[in-house]
Amino acid sequence: MANVSFYGDQRYPLEMHKVRIIQKLHLLPIEERLAATVAAGYNTFLLQNKDVFLDMLTDSGVNAMSQEQQAAMLNADDAYAGSATFTRLAQKVTELFGLNYFLPAHQGRACENIIFSTLVSAGDTVPMNYHFTTTKAHIVANGGQVVEYLYPRGIDVTVDHPFKGNMDTGRLRALLESGAAVPAVRMEAGTNLIGGQPFSLENLREVQAICQEFGVPLVLDASLLQDNLYFIKEREAQCADMEIRDIARAIADCCDVFYFSARKLGFGRGGGILIRDEALYKKMRGLVPMFEGFLTYGGMSVREMEAITVGLEETMDYDMISHGPQFIEYTVNELDKRGIPVVKPAGGLGAHLNALEFVEHLDQREYPAGALNAALYIASGVRAMERGTMSEERDANGVEPLANMELVRLAMPRRVFTLSQVNYMIDRLAWLYDNRSIIGGLEWEEEPEILRFFYGRMRPTSDWPQELVAKFRADFGDSL
């Protein structure tokens, strides 16, 4: 954001925008929040939005659009084929990222379906800095396996390293030298499941050099690129004087395939794949009309495509992309001051509670992140997301792997919340932390086989939710 100093001791993130459209919010009494939690099977994905006060579940598709994006949506060309809207979007992504070929898709996981259906065969291994839930599911569904070569201390929640999303290039080289069947290497910007942690441009270039040496394509999930751009400029000394546009192009220049969910990057509802090689583009191309839509809309609304075109250009604006990381840093610092365990340093996407420490009395098989997530909603009306063992899947033998980290993600959709709302959330978390011994575990009531965290249902292992409500009333009286 703009370089503004404050006369007092306190420093606040200063928004470089104003709010011109509002949506009314409702904060239910805690008894009704408990009833909503029960109805949702203690899974915040299944809560009704009318029952949510602050929706910090995700930043996907819920960021605030700019007035320029809203205006552009009225300029859409809704031709089924040959749409001028598609031409504008294709020209913009080529201008910004430089890869030669563009395929539209309705969101990021649709891109993954096309990419990994094309690249991955039975017995293949796909190395990456860290997995994302849908990415891993697509690779496994095509007979492959995922190996994670994250920076060695990347999952240490307190280590102060600016680029905890870096890949361990030594392990990558060893895998490729072993002769394993590796169809591609995947890097993820703003690594989601470890707290939105970025990689450095230097590390990405090292990964690129190894990939080129062994003739393996480098695939980038750029959905959280805007946060990674901000951190590279702020934390990587050799990039401090680079423009955001130049950093974005330098990242894309490392990649053979560059895909994104525009629900995160570009602030629209869609996605896309950029491909450097014509032969690979032609292999993927046929999957778009088969699964998504015609090649000039790929399952997206043309109005959204116009908004994405503008949104991608706005991503090159430092003031725009700094808003999320600055709000997240403020939240992490305020929670840390209160002794509440959080992932540090502050990353992108959201602030992340360390549930393994927050509710350390719970066994990991009791889904501590899921239990803390449910408790947070009951205590505050804030809907967050579990990013721990609930978000993993059982293997073919029914064995459940325990997650490396048990996190509750407090997403910060861009330009949506005010600082007073963030401070309310911090206050309720402080109360919850002081009463954390009340929080008990969860167990599965209905466990789907695929991506269970989206729609599975849980139940508490004791009457701890009722105890939490009683303690809230004792401390807050008739307050909401």
Side-chain angles (χ1 to χ4, degrees):
M1 293 186 180
N3 181 22
V4 177
S5 298
F6 289 83
Y7 182 62
D9 293 334
Q10 184 64 50
R11 179 176 174 84
Y12 300 100
L14 181 65
E15 298 91 332
M16 299 304 293
H17 61 267
K18 62 182 179 180
V19 177
R20 298 180 61 197
I21 298 177
I22 64 168
Q23 177 183 355
K24 187 173 176 58
L25 296 174
H26 301 277
L27 179 56
L28 300 177
I30 190 169
E31 292 80 8
E32 294 182 33
R33 299 198 294 263
L34 174 58
T37 304
V38 173
Y42 290 82
N43 183 347
T44 55
F45 274 99
L46 301 182
L47 287 168
Q48 297 296 306
N49 193 53
K50 65 181 178 60
D51 298 330
V52 173
F53 178 48
L54 301 179
D55 195 356
M56 295 181 169
L57 183 79
T58 182
D59 68 338
S60 181
V62 292
N63 299 291
M65 285 188 182
S66 68
Q67 62 184 9
E68 288 76 17
Q69 287 183 286
Q70 293 282 347
M73 293 174 82
L74 299 177
N75 195 37
D77 175 6
D78 62 2
Y80 185 91
S83 166
T85 289
F86 172 78
T87 300
R88 284 190 281 271
L89 176 56
Q91 288 175 342
K92 178 55 64 177
V93 295
T94 301
E95 171 198 332
L96 293 178
F97 305 119
L99 285 82
N100 300 321
Y101 302 97
F102 175 64
L103 292 172
H106 79 271
Q107 67 179 99
R109 73 193 57 154
C111 298
E112 291 174 338
N113 178 45
I114 292 168
I115 292 167
F116 297 116
S117 293
T118 302
L119 293 177
V120 176
S121 301
D124 284 348
T125 297
V126 180
M128 53 185 68
N129 51 348
Y130 206 75
H131 80 280
F132 184 62
T133 50
T134 58
T135 318
K136 185 174 181 178
H138 280 113
I139 292 169
V140 171
N142 284 284
Q145 66 169 340
V146 167
V147 293
E148 295 165 337
Y149 292 154
L150 187 64
Y151 160 71
R153 297 190 65 191
I155 59 172
D156 184 332
V157 296
T158 59
V159 66
D160 189 15
H161 189 286
F163 296 107
K164 290 163 75 172
N166 279 354
M167 179 175 278
D168 186 332
T169 53
R171 296 176 70 194
L172 174 62
R173 174 175 291 279
L175 175 71
L176 295 174
E177 287 177 343
S178 74
V182 177
V185 173
R186 173 186 173 272
M187 287 286 284
E188 181 180 331
T191 320
N192 193 315
L193 294 184
I194 64 166
Q197 298 295 318
F199 58 67
S200 68
L201 179 57
E202 179 183 24
N203 180 252
L204 185 66
R205 284 172 167 163
E206 291 172 358
V207 173
Q208 177 201 21
I210 294 171
C211 287
Q212 288 181 339
E213 180 182 344
F214 288 89
V216 176
L218 176 56
V219 177
L220 176 68
D221 180 348
S223 300
L224 292 172
L225 179 68
Q226 69 171 40
D227 293 337
N228 215 122
L229 289 169
Y230 170 81
F231 289 122
I232 285 175
K233 183 165 180 64
E234 288 296 313
R235 298 177 181 176
E236 194 164 359
Q238 58 266 43
C239 299
D241 295 329
M242 293 176 67
E243 298 295 329
I244 296 296
R245 185 181 302 269
D246 296 330
I247 298 172
R249 184 56 177 269
I251 289 173
D253 283 347
C254 293
C255 305
D256 300 292
V257 178
F258 177 110
Y259 74 95
F260 62 96
S261 169
R263 299 175 72 90
K264 297 176 181 290
L265 179 65
F267 293 4
R269 294 165 184 83
I273 309 169
L274 288 94
I275 306 150
R276 192 171 303 282
D277 177 67
E278 182 180 12
L280 186 55
Y281 161 75
K282 288 182 175 178
K283 286 181 181 179
M284 294 183 187
R285 179 177 58 183
L287 298 179
V288 174
M290 181 176 292
F291 294 116
E292 296 295 302
F294 191 63
L295 291 171
T296 55
Y297 72 93
M300 284 186 279
S301 154
V302 287
R303 290 175 178 264
E304 297 288 348
M305 291 166 69
E306 291 285 2
I308 292 165
T309 303
V310 174
L312 289 171
E313 179 59 40
E314 291 177 346
T315 301
M316 302 300 115
D317 179 351
Y318 179 82
D319 283 342
M320 195 283 285
I321 67 170
S322 64
H323 171 260
Q326 295 251 4
F327 259 55
I328 294 163
E329 182 180 26
Y330 172 84
T331 302
V332 167
N333 289 342
E334 290 298 311
L335 292 173
D336 190 45
K337 285 179 189 176
R338 292 161 174 80
I340 298 171
V342 287
V343 174
K344 296 184 291 186
L349 200 159
H352 293 74
L353 304 174
N354 176 14
L356 282 176
E357 186 177 341
F358 197 116
V359 283
E360 61 183 358
H361 57 281
L362 294 183
D363 186 274
Q364 199 170 357
R365 292 170 181 80
E366 295 180 278
Y367 306 103
L372 176 56
N373 193 25
L376 173 61
Y377 172 75
I378 294 169
S380 66
V382 174
R383 171 162 64 171
M385 186 188 292
E386 187 273 356
R387 297 278 71 168
T389 297
M390 274 180 63
S391 294
E392 299 295 337
E393 294 187 6
R394 297 182 188 272
D395 65 19
N397 298 315
V399 176
E400 178 172 64
L402 299 179
N404 290 323
M405 308 172 81
E406 293 285 344
L407 305 180
V408 173
R409 186 181 77 195
L410 302 157
M412 293 283 181
R414 310 310 189 264
R415 304 176 294 203
V416 171
F417 298 123
T418 65
L419 203 58
S420 65
Q421 291 168 334
V422 172
N423 283 328
Y424 163 82
M425 177 266 292
I426 292 169
D427 176 81
R428 288 299 187 261
L429 269 172
W431 177 83
L432 192 60
Y433 187 62
D434 285 345
N435 292 278
R436 60 193 181 277
S437 62
I438 298 174
I439 301 171
L442 296 175
E443 61 186 10
W444 287 104
E445 183 175 77
E446 178 188 352
E447 183 182 357
E449 292 183 3
I450 299 174
L451 297 174
R452 62 187 185 178
F453 69 93
F454 275 135
Y455 52 98
R457 301 179 68 83
M458 311 289 285
R459 61 188 169 217
T461 55
S462 69
D463 61 356
W464 67 262
Q466 290 76 19
E467 292 181 31
L468 192 68
V469 171
K471 186 63 166 66
F472 182 95
R473 280 287 170 238
D475 289 351
F476 287 102
D478 62 359
S479 170
L480 296 176

